[in-house]
């Protein structure tokens, strides 16, 4: 099947693809090889109840903002875009 897909001269590649697909490899495992810096920092939480006033919502947003800012400072990040999203249970 691999020869049909990749051509007659693909014996070496076919074995390589088979080994990769089956988790067999000779290369050493090194921690952090595929680490990529995050493109965004955020925080989500499920609130314990519905909030009815703008003042209550402002408190929740401030707490979430503080958590994100703490994480950004710890990572040494600085940004210029703020995004807020809300989801309801209904």
């Amino acid at each position: 099947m691999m020869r049909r897909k990749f051509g007659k001269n693909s014996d070496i590649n076919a074995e390589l693809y088979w080994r990769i697909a089956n988790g067999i490899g000779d290369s050493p495992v090194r921690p952090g090889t595929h680490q990529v810096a995050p493109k965004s920092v955020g925080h989500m939480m499920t609130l314990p109840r519905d909030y009815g006033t703008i003042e209550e919502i402002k408190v929740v947003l401030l707490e979430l903002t503080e958590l994100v800012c703490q994480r950004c400072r710890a990572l040494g990040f600085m940004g210029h875009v703020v995004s807020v999203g809300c989801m309801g249970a209904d």
Side-chain angles (χ1 to χ4, degrees):
M1 180 179 75
M2 298 280 289
R3 280 194 188 116
R4 279 190 312 236
K5 180 75 174 166
F6 296 107
K8 291 180 182 178
N9 297 326
S10 65
D11 288 341
I12 295 173
N13 287 337
E15 182 180 348
L16 174 65
Y17 295 141
W18 182 88
R19 290 171 61 84
I20 290 170
N22 287 280
I24 302 169
D26 301 325
S27 56
V29 176
R30 295 187 185 122
T33 300
H34 298 289
Q35 289 181 344
V36 178
K39 293 183 179 182
S40 65
V41 178
H43 191 89
M44 292 174 42
M45 70 184 317
T46 302
L47 300 175
R49 63 179 179 83
D50 290 340
Y51 292 83
T53 68
I54 193 69
E55 295 307 317
E56 290 177 317
I57 294 169
K58 284 182 180 180
V59 170
V60 172
L61 288 174
L62 180 60
E63 289 174 3
L64 290 172
T65 302
E66 283 297 325
L67 291 169
V68 171
C69 289
Q70 286 174 1
R71 201 177 300 136
C72 287
R73 285 190 291 270
L75 293 168
F77 289 170
M78 188 170 87
H80 59 274
V81 174
V82 175
S83 176
V84 176
C86 297
M87 291 191 320
D90 299 307

